[in-house]
Amino acid sequence: MANSVSFLLLLSLLAFAPCCLCTKKLGGFLYPQFYDFSCPAAQEIAKSILARAFQKEPRIAASLLRLHFHDCFVKGCDASILLDSSGSTVSEKGSNPNRNSARGFEVIDEIKSALEKECPQTVSCADILAIAARDSTVISGGPSWEVPLGRRDSLGASLSGSNNNIPAPNNTFQTILTKFKLQGLDIVDLVALSGSHTIGNSRCTSFRQRLYNQTGNGVADFTLDQNYASELRDRCPSSGGDQNLFFLDYVSPIKFDNSYFKNLLAYKGLLNSDQVLLTKNEESAELVKKYAENNDIFFEQFAKSMIKMGNISPLTGSRGEIRTNCRKINAYY
């Protein structure tokens, strides 16, 4: 009898084994509990370091959120954006979207260093970026969500991918939407994720054409409120001042809320890529209005879209590696 019970127990275990083995070996999906046993303090450590950085400089929240976005749109969410040029690797930091604007790398370094002390070679840089993006949103007053985890780090970077895949401030609406669709994201994700521009800054060089020469005929963008345009010209001249910084959301620049969408309705979106959400497509315009009217609906969709973006082509299982230094592939470290 004991033998037959043992045999039945073994059969039961074998019935579940393939499922478990597939999860561990193939690692084809991400899940929030990934580090619960291997590094249970990981998220708290990351959160505390980010909180200190935010206290020194609230702008860092937008910078870290942007790093995750710029990472995921190039070869998937694999921390390729963090690599410095080394050996055969040409860093994405020198691409047009990132040069002189991508920042927050030192905060990621600090989190990684602390996690390497706590649980060596366990938490990936790609997951640190995803956690930091969520915590940056929350600490700025935005929604929270459980971050699916289990990404691994890339063994290379793509300068061309960074130049070509990331939407630019002067892209047309259709070009921006196409770049989102190529990543498996849709128009709802585009509008909701654009709402991250409720915090952070942009450089004069990113919107100058709207102030002076929108279509090449020496005329300002007529979809930009002219009083607002006049204020912007004071610190964004037709030449020079390229690096001068301006709030993306002038109403509540360090608070994560839906005032970004209210600004668009008032034709006070800073970037061309912001304002076209209202002026160039009926479906996106309706979403802008909906999020402007209801902050809760915006927050709910933003969280969903962040999870969806964070799931773009992750390296899992045995693909990639867990870097010990986010700036270098282990072979070069």
Side-chain angles (χ1 to χ4, degrees):
M1 179 72 179
N3 285 342
S4 61
V5 171
S6 298
F7 180 68
L8 287 171
L9 183 60
L10 179 62
L11 280 178
S12 300
L13 289 171
L14 285 172
F16 288 104
C19 216
C20 298
L21 289 173
C22 286
T23 303
K24 295 294 183 187
K25 188 175 180 182
L26 298 178
F29 62 92
L30 309 174
Y31 53 99
Q33 300 80 18
F34 190 84
Y35 298 112
D36 280 7
F37 296 103
S38 60
C39 195
Q43 295 200 53
E44 278 305 312
I45 289 170
K47 182 180 178 181
S48 64
I49 291 171
L50 189 144
R52 288 200 303 270
F54 180 81
Q55 198 166 21
K56 290 179 191 171
E57 184 197 28
R59 180 190 171 198
I60 200 66
S63 300
L64 293 170
L65 190 51
R66 186 170 183 257
L67 275 187
H68 183 45
F69 169 49
H70 282 208
D71 179 43
C72 291
F73 267 59
V74 184
K75 300 184 339 90
C77 308
D78 61 1
S80 61
I81 193 172
L82 302 178
L83 289 172
D84 290 336
S85 292
S86 176
S88 61
T89 300
V90 180
S91 177
E92 295 169 15
K93 295 175 184 178
S95 70
N96 291 328
N98 294 330
R99 189 172 56 250
N100 297 323
S101 65
R103 58 195 300 278
F105 300 106
E106 294 78 11
V107 178
I108 300 299
D109 290 340
E110 189 179 347
I111 294 171
K112 180 60 175 172
S113 179
L115 290 177
E116 283 300 303
K117 287 175 185 169
E118 177 74 15
C119 29
Q121 294 181 298
T122 301
V123 182
S124 69
C125 301
D127 278 345
I128 291 171
L129 282 172
I131 292 166
R134 187 271 313 275
D135 290 348
S136 293
T137 302
V138 173
I139 203 168
S140 302
S144 186
W145 60 91
E146 279 196 311
V147 180
L149 300 165
R151 301 166 190 80
R152 287 167 67 85
D153 300 324
S154 72
L155 298 172
S158 176
L159 182 64
S160 62
S162 187
N163 277 320
N164 297 324
N165 297 356
I166 298 170
N170 58 352
N171 279 162
T172 64
F173 175 85
Q174 195 54 52
T175 298
I176 297 167
L177 181 58
T178 298
K179 288 181 177 181
F180 269 72
K181 285 183 174 178
L182 286 171
Q183 304 299 337
L185 302 173
D186 59 27
I187 194 168
V188 176
D189 301 313
L190 163 58
V191 179
L193 292 174
S194 294
S196 63
H197 284 179
T198 181
I199 55 174
N201 301 310
S202 184
R203 297 173 298 155
C204 165
T205 186
S206 296
F207 61 88
R208 174 184 282 122
Q209 86 284 349
R210 298 192 73 202
L211 302 179
Y212 301 100
N213 192 25
Q214 175 69 350
T215 57
N217 59 358
V219 177
D221 185 351
F222 69 91
T223 69
L224 180 62
D225 178 87
Q226 293 309 301
N227 290 328
Y228 183 44
S230 180
E231 291 175 25
L232 295 173
R233 287 189 196 99
D234 288 343
R235 290 184 49 246
C236 185
S238 55
S239 63
D242 285 8
Q243 306 304 315
N244 290 352
L245 293 174
F246 295 77
F247 294 130
L248 285 160
D249 169 5
Y250 74 97
V251 174
S252 54
I254 61 172
K255 184 183 178 187
F256 198 104
D257 57 21
N258 67 338
S259 55
Y260 163 84
F261 296 104
K262 295 175 182 178
N263 295 342
L264 297 186
L265 294 179
Y267 296 95
K268 293 181 179 180
L270 185 62
L271 305 178
N272 179 72
S273 54
D274 295 324
Q275 198 61 56
V276 294
L277 299 179
L278 179 72
T279 61
K280 296 297 184 182
N281 182 277
E282 286 186 17
E283 188 178 352
S284 69
E286 287 305 309
L287 289 165
V288 167
K289 292 170 188 172
K290 181 162 76 169
Y291 298 151
E293 289 168 7
N294 194 314
N295 194 63
D296 291 340
I297 292 176
F298 164 49
F299 276 19
E300 183 182 350
Q301 185 57 54
F302 184 81
K304 287 179 182 175
S305 294
M306 283 296 291
I307 292 169
K308 190 173 172 183
M309 184 183 78
N311 202 38
I312 297 173
S313 305
L315 298 172
T316 55
S318 59
R319 295 184 300 155
E321 65 178 11
I322 305 298
R323 291 184 211 141
T324 52
N325 177 340
C326 290
R327 294 173 181 263
K328 299 176 186 294
I329 296 163
N330 288 342
Y332 294 115
Y333 182 56

